[in-house]
Amino acid sequence: QNGVMSGLMQMLLLKVSAHITEQLGMAPGGEFREAFKEASKVPFCKFHLGDRPIPVTFKRAIAALSFWQKVKLGWGLCFLSDPISKDDVEKCKQKDLLEQMMAEMIGEFPDLHRTIVSERDIYLTYMLKQAAKQIELPRASENEPRRYIPAVVVGVVGMGHVPGIEKNWNSDLKIQEIMSVPPPSTSSKIFKFVLKATVFGLLGYGCYRVGHRTVQFVLSMPAAQSYLQRLTEVSQH
């Protein structure tokens, strides 16, 4: 539904998620499931999923990568087999190590970091600020002065997003641009056309070869040869 490349990327990331689950005995995203459970215990608490929709993030990320970057990323995700321990997870909670990992990602895939991390920092900050607006109390009449109470908000985000949210908090944020999906480039259209033409060409050639060999095999059978000989005799008469 969201495109072939987006679907393949989601399949690869599910593979990574399964690898992490197998190694640690716990599935990624447990903090969000726990937040949902805790929110259900608080009276009048509203639970809101405040991240950017996954299809938008994937499509923007894929559009930002060159063909070779897509191949490199896909190859890395396909053959991810490094062991992960709970100690490794604890080390990732250290701010210095986390910043180092983010810097490595920026160096290797700068456009991917921009779409998956930096843009979502902006989106998450915007949604948190919307939720944190003061709540106006009901008034008995129009003449009564407006009264407000602060909203109580608990934001649960991945550790890698905390520095970006702090950085963007006092900025005037607009999310229209990061919610749009850029149209495919000319080179991307050409590549898709060539890929489809190649696939259909190979399928057509395969069907032709199979059909040709099948016909030859059928014609070589004694019963078929006898039937053809009778047809030839009938046509001659």
Side-chain angles (χ1 to χ4, degrees):
Q1 291 179 348
N2 297 318
V4 175
M5 289 300 296
S6 182
L8 288 173
M9 190 66 70
Q10 288 192 50
M11 287 173 64
L12 289 173
L13 290 176
L14 283 172
K15 179 182 180 295
V16 174
S17 177
H19 173 69
I20 295 171
T21 304
E22 183 183 2
Q23 293 283 317
L24 298 178
M26 62 179 77
E31 66 272 32
F32 305 120
R33 288 186 286 274
E34 195 64 28
F36 177 75
K37 280 194 263 182
E38 291 300 317
S40 64
K41 301 175 186 177
V42 181
F44 309 109
C45 178
K46 293 181 180 178
F47 181 82
H48 181 66
L49 298 173
D51 204 349
R52 184 170 64 177
I54 289 177
V56 175
T57 298
F58 275 169
K59 286 183 178 180
R60 285 186 64 84
I62 291 166
L65 294 175
S66 67
F67 172 73
W68 294 113
Q69 283 179 321
K70 290 173 188 174
V71 172
K72 184 179 180 183
L73 179 65
W75 183 268
L77 292 175
C78 278
F79 296 96
L80 180 72
S81 58
D82 296 336
I84 306 168
S85 67
K86 291 186 179 180
D87 291 335
D88 294 330
V89 176
E90 292 300 319
K91 288 177 184 176
C92 288
K93 294 179 182 179
Q94 299 172 16
K95 187 176 180 182
D96 293 341
L97 182 61
L98 185 66
E99 289 177 352
Q100 180 185 339
M101 291 168 63
M102 298 295 274
E104 289 175 0
M105 183 181 178
I106 293 172
E108 195 164 3
F109 296 103
D111 293 322
L112 194 66
H113 180 274
R114 174 176 54 81
T115 52
I116 291 183
V117 181
S118 301
E119 289 182 359
R120 285 173 59 226
D121 288 345
I122 294 171
Y123 189 91
L124 289 165
T125 308
Y126 179 86
M127 298 302 287
L128 280 169
K129 289 180 76 172
Q130 292 298 309
K133 286 182 176 179
Q134 289 186 327
I135 301 169
E136 183 180 356
L137 293 174
R139 294 184 294 168
S141 66
E142 290 292 330
N143 297 326
E144 187 178 343
R146 296 178 184 273
R147 291 184 301 157
Y148 298 89
I149 58 171
V152 179
V153 180
V154 178
V156 181
V157 299
M159 281 188 67
H161 291 292
V162 174
I165 291 172
E166 292 176 347
K167 175 186 171 184
N168 291 306
W169 189 259
N170 294 318
S171 303
D172 183 22
L173 303 174
K174 295 177 181 175
I175 61 170
Q176 289 82 1
E177 184 181 344
I178 62 172
M179 288 300 293
S180 62
V181 179
S185 62
T186 305
S187 59
S188 176
K189 290 179 180 178
I190 293 172
F191 172 74
K192 286 182 180 177
F193 175 77
V194 171
L195 184 63
K196 286 181 180 178
T198 303
V199 170
F200 284 118
L202 289 172
L203 284 173
Y205 180 71
C207 291
Y208 166 75
R209 292 291 297 175
V210 171
H212 183 66
R213 288 184 179 179
T214 303
V215 170
Q216 283 184 330
F217 174 73
V218 171
L219 292 177
S220 66
M221 296 175 65
Q225 289 181 352
S226 175
Y227 180 73
L228 288 172
Q229 188 176 357
R230 288 179 184 176
L231 283 177
T232 305
E233 291 174 356
V234 169
S235 64
Q236 287 175 352
H237 288 301

